[in-house]
Amino acid sequence: MNIIVDGRYQIIKRLGKGGFAHTYLAKNLAALGEPQCVVKQLRPKVEHPRMLQLFKLEAAILDRFQHSQIPKTVECFEHQGDFFMVQDFVAGDDLSKEFTIGHRWSEAKVIGFLREMLKVLGYVHQKQAIHRDIKPANIIRRWDNGQLYLIDFGAVQDLEGDSLVPMTVVGTPGYHAPEQAAGLATFGSDIYALGMTAIQFLTGHYPLHLPKNAAHEVLWRDLTKVSDRLATILEQMTRVECIDRYDCTMAVLADLETLSRCDNDIPVSSSRSIDAEFSHQRLTSKIMTMAILVGLGLVGTVGVVSRIQSVGGMGGGSISDSPLDLMHE
């Protein structure tokens, strides 16, 4: 393939394509050893002034993060009228590749998944950011050590820069929380999406296909074998009303650790130390939740300007038929 972006990044193949951007595996020709990287090109299906703003915000947010399980941004630039972002490449497959309908993860595997991702998500929230598109396709498992990485911050909300007002609706149906579908999100919205992801792996069914009760909560417990303790945690993670959900990731972790203590399988730290360490996160979340409730009461139903879908996983994409089609089809 003979496409080189900005004279430095040689495109190898496409990794993902969505309503917001296209992603490509590339080689950095200007770096020692020509390491592989991910080139993300802004290619919105629906033109909107917020798109470029969100694209630049993603780069700024990732530049602010320093976490071993979140890919770093190398740079963000404009080339021939298009906007590009270059990120570290994570050699692995996104979790959508591990899912097949009817296949169920064990309870122990789901608990391990939640514990690992809640810590990563807790870091994001500590940095005053809401991911807003947690789902299997945006979580990569590394091939070499099995470690999970959180990717695709294209829908991120920066609480340090954004006010709590109705915004462009983002997220993926089946995973995003009800308040997020109305244009408003909290830390609890990410917790809801992570809970839905765990339920998907536990039941072997996509969240969008699960039945709901009169309160619009998903009905899933009869589709799998699960302990009452874990089911209770997942139900609290996915409550329809944000005020009824966990107020921060550490609160979920504390309950998971209590569950693990009962099973005598994993040494854990005390929930008291967790609460002390993350009291600021919990207080911030409570304030945000109350603001969301007030906002929903004031604004009513927010019209959907557009729904930004995931860029798609960074593993295993199809190669474009022709070099010209790859970047501008």
Side-chain angles (χ1 to χ4, degrees), residues 95-103 135-137 172-175 196-197 199-212 218-220 223:
L95 294 191
S96 69
K97 307 294 192 304
E98 297 186 15
F99 177 77
T100 54
I101 294 176
H103 175 73
K135 59 182 178 181
T172 303
Y175 301 97
M196 284 298 179
T197 299
I199 288 172
Q200 173 177 330
F201 287 123
L202 202 58
T203 63
H205 292 274
Y206 289 106
L208 197 60
H209 298 165
L210 293 172
K212 295 182 179 180
V218 294
L219 302 174
W220 60 272
L223 298 174

Side-chain angles (χ1 to χ4, degrees), residues 55-272:
F55 192 74
K56 291 181 177 180
L57 176 61
E58 178 184 5
I61 286 285
L62 291 174
D63 189 57
R64 195 164 81 205
F65 289 168
Q66 296 293 326
H67 194 283
S68 61
Q69 289 169 269
I70 299 175
K72 293 181 176 63
T73 294
V74 177
E75 66 171 324
C76 188
F77 61 92
E78 182 178 0
H79 177 65
Q80 295 182 352
D82 288 328
F83 290 90
F84 295 87
M85 184 191 311
V86 181
Q87 298 176 340
D88 287 342
F89 172 65
V90 180
D93 288 320
D94 69 74
L95 294 191
S96 69
K97 307 294 192 304
E98 297 186 15
F99 177 77
T100 54
I101 294 176
H103 175 73
R104 301 175 180 89
W105 282 12
S106 68
E107 180 166 334
K109 187 173 181 179
V110 169
I111 291 172
F113 162 76
L114 285 172
R115 291 189 63 177
E116 185 170 1
M117 288 310 303
L118 282 163
K119 292 174 183 177
V120 180
L121 194 55
Y123 175 85
V124 173
H125 292 173
Q126 278 185 280
K127 294 297 184 180
Q128 297 301 297
I130 307 173
H131 186 281
R132 298 199 298 180
D133 201 15
I134 302 293
K135 59 182 178 181
N138 287 338
I139 301 170
I140 288 182
R141 189 187 303 279
R142 280 183 60 126
W143 291 324
D144 56 357
N145 59 15
Q147 194 172 42
L148 299 176
Y149 279 67
L150 181 59
I151 65 167
D152 196 352
F153 284 75
V156 70
Q157 180 176 350
D158 181 9
L159 298 180
E160 291 186 354
D162 288 340
S163 59
L164 292 176
V165 297
M167 299 178 66
T168 304
V169 175
V170 294
T172 303
Y175 301 97
H176 66 51
E179 71 278 357
Q180 187 172 321
L184 298 163
T186 71
F187 294 147
S189 305
D190 281 347
I191 292 173
Y192 179 98
L194 185 63
M196 284 298 179
T197 299
I199 288 172
Q200 173 177 330
F201 287 123
L202 202 58
T203 63
H205 292 274
Y206 289 106
L208 197 60
H209 298 165
L210 293 172
K212 295 182 179 180
N213 60 20
H216 301 289
E217 292 177 337
V218 294
L219 302 174
W220 60 272
R221 291 188 67 165
D222 292 339
L223 298 174
T224 187
K225 292 182 179 179
V226 61
S227 68
D228 288 339
R229 295 192 302 274
L230 178 58
T232 298
I233 291 172
L234 290 173
E235 286 173 346
Q236 188 172 346
M237 291 178 71
T238 55
R239 294 292 183 197
V240 170
E241 300 295 334
C242 56
I243 198 168
D244 295 330
R245 266 179 247 139
Y246 286 101
D247 55 10
C248 69
T249 57
M250 289 300 106
V252 192
L253 273 172
D255 279 357
L256 283 174
E257 289 175 342
T258 300
L259 188 156
S260 298
R261 270 202 299 275
C262 293
D263 293 339
N264 295 317
D265 58 354
I266 302 175
V268 296
S269 59
S270 69
S271 59
R272 178 178 298 179

